[in-house]
Amino acid sequence: RRIPLFKPDLAVLAETDVPFSRVSEGRRSIRSPGARPLTLDQLGEFLFRTARIQQFLPAKPEKGLPYEASLRPCCSGGAVHPLELYLSVGRVEGLDPGFYHYDPARHELEYLSEPTGATSRLLKESSMAMAETETADVQITVAARVPRVSWKYSGIAYALILKDLGAMFQQMYLVATAQGLAPCAIGTGNTDLFVAASGLDGFEETAVGEFVLSGGS
């Protein structure tokens, strides 16, 4: 089951969005979920502005690009973009609780499962890491498809993945701040829980970061 997501009007945003200086100076980790739940449209705008594929770049071996790459709002070494987003949804207005994967090419959510012990634990452990009793509206597990980058950058693949993750986290913070949402990157994580929730091979696609997002106050 696929869920199409809201696409903001970028021309309108260019005229009405919060000024960048106010966003960058106001960026903070907000650990407590707001009184209002995150909405599906807010989540769609957030994903559109952080992780969608803007343009595919065809392979051009004669110019040193022997593989297909892509442009996205967030930068990536060699435009390889090994990061994938998986969402443990607890409280989103207009979206059933469960476990989802974000499709950046179609800007859609792919429904993977209803809430399970593993997905509920992902939400709970994020709250524990923030010393919060309430769970966030959404916990985003950032996973890396390691072979996508290791074939080209074999000696520095993991280091490059972590650099991409840092850029992704900063993009998420800035977009969430501009939208008036409650964002927080998590300094801990549980790879085994992600493998249990997703059913993926942890040696090919593994969790490298966690980020929580909730509605604003």
Side-chain angles (χ1 to χ4, degrees), residues 64-67 77-80 146-157:
L65 188 71
Y67 56 92
V80 172
V146 180
R148 190 184 289 174
V149 64
S150 62
W151 74 270
K152 177 175 174 64
Y153 298 106
S154 57
I156 58 170

Side-chain angles (χ1 to χ4, degrees), residues 196-212:
S198 65
L200 294 168
D201 182 343
F203 289 101
E204 293 201 358
E205 187 166 350
T206 187
V208 292
E210 292 77 26
F211 193 95
V212 298

Side-chain angles (χ1 to χ4, degrees), residues 4 9 16 20 64 66 86 91 96 128 140 142 149 163 174 208:
D9 188 323
T16 63
F20 178 75
Y86 293 83
R91 185 186 72 155
D96 292 336
M128 292 169 60
I140 301 173
V142 184
V149 64
K163 291 172 184 176
L174 295 177
V208 292

Side-chain angles (χ1 to χ4, degrees), residues 13 16-23 49 177-180:
L13 280 176
T16 63
D17 208 7
V18 182
F20 178 75
S21 293
R22 192 186 306 168
V23 170
R49 298 173 70 178
T177 301
Q179 288 187 245

Side-chain angles (χ1 to χ4, degrees), residues 70-90:
S70 63
L71 296 180
R72 311 190 190 194
C74 190
C75 62
S76 174
V80 172
H81 292 285
L83 302 181
E84 298 286 331
L85 304 185
Y86 293 83
L87 287 70
S88 300
V89 174

